[in-house]
Amino acid sequence: MKGWFEVFLDRRLNQDDNRGLQQGITDNRDTPSYFRILLEQRSSRFKHLPFKENSRYPSLLAHQASLSLLHPIFVLVRLDSEAEPNVVLRNPDAPLKSNFSPVGLELPCDVHLLNLRTLPSPSGTLYLPSNFSALFLHRLGFDCSFDTWGQCSTQNGTVSISNLFPTLFGSTVEEVSLSLMYTGNKFSRDAHIQLPAMEIVTLKLSQR
């Protein structure tokens, strides 16, 4: 059986180029793109079901493959002060740590950490950090008719801050809205927080 794949790339601008709808974009640049073809076979327990009834969402493996392409790891290395004379370091003689492991246990396979950032100080100065951080978690919707791999576990969409960050953050966790403007339930760091399916949950964490 012969076939083919068609790939369409959409170019988006950060701002209006003021060229109008009738003018083409002529400043294209060569951009490296990475694609991954994933072939999977449904579990024998679900082969009797019609295709259209169990193919609404990607599998867990497809989610992980997609996230690895959308969110690659960028390693930032400190430059030598002698090689870069214009770079000012607070303590250029301080040794770098050989490893850093702030996470105690891995997140469930169906939970994606969207962002973890320090909130600004309410004093009005944007460059001063506050004593709080915001954790954004997204529970993915997936097709369960495919078998999982390795030690993958969903844990029914529950997350514990004490297991995730055993040495970081304070004793209380507060659920807030996505815009961080409205507060909700409060939990202890040992509580197992239930994440709704296919929803984004924002947690406000305090420093120790």
Side-chain angles (χ1 to χ4, degrees):
M1 181 178 179
K2 296 183 179 181
W4 64 89
F5 289 96
E6 295 184 2
V7 179
F8 297 87
L9 298 180
D10 183 19
R11 181 178 184 272
R12 298 181 181 181
L13 301 178
N14 293 329
Q15 57 187 4
D16 186 9
D17 59 358
N18 296 318
R19 296 183 179 182
L21 297 177
Q22 303 300 326
Q23 300 183 23
I25 300 175
T26 59
D27 58 343
N28 291 331
R29 295 292 183 269
D30 293 336
T31 304
S33 301
Y34 300 93
F35 303 92
R36 186 171 296 171
I37 300 176
L38 178 62
L39 302 178
E40 294 183 283
Q41 185 176 3
R42 283 185 172 80
S43 174
S44 58
R45 305 190 305 272
F46 300 93
K47 286 185 177 181
H48 64 282
L49 296 178
F51 178 80
K52 62 180 181 181
E53 293 186 6
N54 56 2
S55 59
R56 297 183 179 92
Y57 303 102
S59 65
L60 279 176
L61 182 58
H63 274 303
Q64 298 301 324
S66 176
L67 292 175
S68 66
L69 293 175
L70 296 175
H71 306 282
I73 297 177
F74 294 96
V75 180
L76 305 179
V77 181
R78 185 186 66 174
L79 297 177
D80 190 358
S81 58
E82 296 181 357
E84 295 288 337
N86 296 327
V87 177
V88 179
L89 301 178
R90 293 179 180 271
N91 187 7
D93 298 328
L96 294 176
K97 293 183 178 180
S98 59
N99 55 68
F100 178 64
S101 302
V103 179
L105 295 178
E106 294 183 359
L107 283 170
C109 296
D110 60 337
V111 176
H112 173 50
L113 196 155
L114 291 173
N115 196 2
L116 173 61
R117 60 185 177 91
T118 303
L119 299 180
S121 174
S123 60
T125 305
L126 298 178
Y127 302 101
L128 293 179
S130 68
N131 196 38
F132 298 94
S133 299
L135 176 65
F136 299 84
L137 299 175
H138 179 208
R139 187 179 178 189
L140 306 171
F142 63 95
D143 189 344
C144 60
S145 62
F146 294 92
D147 294 330
T148 57
W149 73 100
Q151 302 296 325
C152 181
S153 174
T154 60
Q155 300 178 13
N156 198 24
T158 58
V159 174
S160 173
I161 300 300
S162 60
N163 293 335
L164 184 60
F165 302 109
T167 60
L168 301 177
F169 304 114
S171 59
T172 59
V173 179
E174 186 176 17
E175 184 178 1
V176 296
S177 62
L178 187 60
S179 61
L180 305 176
M181 296 180 60
Y182 306 100
T183 60
N185 299 326
K186 290 186 177 182
F187 310 92
S188 66
R189 62 176 285 111
D190 298 327
H192 292 270
I193 304 174
Q194 181 76 37
L195 305 180
M198 295 170 290
E199 295 289 341
I200 298 177
V201 174
T202 308
L203 302 176
K204 187 176 181 181
L205 311 175
S206 61
Q207 302 296 333
R208 287 187 179 273

